[in-house]
Amino acid sequence: MWEIRGKKLNMLIDEESVAKRVRELAREIERDFSEAESEPVVVGLLKGAFVFVADLIRELRIPVIVDFLWVSSYGQSMESSGVIRIVKDLDTDLEGRWVLLVDDILDTGLTLKEIHTFLKSKRPRVLKTCVFLEKEGRKKVDFDPDYLGFKVPNRFLVGYGLDWGELGRNLKGIYAVEEKG
Ligand code: XMP
């Protein structure tokens, strides 16, 4: 049983199920993106999406450019405000390109919607979104990813890039942090 700082972790999605779903998403994405006129650009959001991006791009059987965007959410609360500050912008010019925005988890959707608007302003030809997890019943904005790995319960999750106070990113499955105890 894994623990972080004395809190037990309950496995929600095991390593094999994660890998299988990543392969399925890659098949869908490569089918849609094979129509692109030039190499698609995969934009991963730091830090949480780095593990998912690393696995996803290696399952894609088409050439892709990979870049990362790092944003932080303004405000002190646990919940995202939807107002973003760019910590690290992209190195790649997106104008006229097919772009796949990749994130780890959709909670209220405020952050991703804002980032989607930001990337749209860079005038890509096509902009699609791939999110590995979506918390059920939490969305506050009208935003649906084009590709989704799993719907998950509204619990605090770690593993596969997701962290609890910077720990847990290296776990191969997805775990819920136990609320009591
Ligand atoms: P919104 O609410 O804007 O937030 O959709 C999305 C971002 O919030 C973080 N987040 C989590 N991080 N475990 C985490 O490690 C979680 O259960 C969790 N829920 C939300 C994450 O950074 C995501 O991109």
Side-chain angles (χ1 to χ4, degrees):
M1 169 78 79
W2 279 90
E3 277 192 16
I4 294 181
R5 297 196 182 104
K7 294 254 191 197
K8 291 200 174 73
L9 303 183
N10 297 312
M11 186 187 278
L12 281 188
I13 308 170
D14 66 20
E15 185 185 343
E16 287 71 32
S17 307
V18 166
K20 179 170 177 281
R21 192 69 191 115
V22 172
R23 278 196 297 277
E24 289 167 356
L25 290 170
R27 295 293 82 80
E28 275 185 64
I29 292 164
E30 70 191 15
R31 187 193 60 220
D32 297 349
F33 278 72
S34 61
E35 290 172 35
E37 303 75 22
S38 59
E39 294 83 10
V41 184
V42 174
V43 173
L45 296 183
L46 294 173
K47 297 180 193 173
F50 81 101
V51 178
F52 179 37
V53 169
D55 283 351
L56 186 66
I57 57 167
R58 286 177 297 171
E59 289 295 342
L60 290 173
R61 298 175 297 199
I62 51 171
V64 290
I65 290 167
V66 183
D67 204 343
F68 287 96
L69 180 67
W70 190 353
V71 306
S72 71
S73 180
Y74 275 115
Q76 299 297 312
S77 83
M78 287 284 287
E79 205 158 87
S80 63
S81 62
V83 183
I84 56 167
R85 180 174 68 87
I86 308 298
V87 179
K88 185 226 160 266
D89 204 342
L90 298 173
D91 301 318
T92 317
D93 182 4
L94 300 187
E95 187 162 354
R97 310 293 297 239
W98 284 54
V99 176
L100 180 69
L101 169 61
V102 179
D103 201 7
D104 50 1
I105 188 163
L106 197 82
D107 188 356
T108 63
L110 285 160
T111 311
L112 209 57
K113 187 161 186 177
E114 194 62 25
I115 292 170
H116 190 271
T117 304
F118 172 69
L119 292 187
K120 268 271 177 211
S121 74
K122 295 176 181 271
R123 301 161 51 89
R125 168 102 199 276
V126 171
L127 175 59
K128 290 187 186 270
T129 309
C130 177
V131 178
F132 196 58
L133 306 171
E134 179 177 324
K135 284 191 183 172
E136 268 164 332
R138 289 277 300 161
K139 219 158 14 186
K140 285 191 175 170
V141 287
D142 180 24
F143 185 87
D144 288 315
D146 298 286
Y147 311 96
L148 175 66
F150 295 97
K151 292 228 179 194
V152 287
N154 180 22
R155 304 272 304 277
F156 197 82
L157 306 178
V158 296
Y160 204 59
L162 292 165
D163 71 302
W164 188 48
E166 292 300 326
L167 295 177
R169 294 192 198 275
N170 56 320
L171 296 167
K172 291 182 176 179
I174 307 287
Y175 296 77
V177 179
E178 196 162 69
E179 278 149 27
K180 54 183 185 318

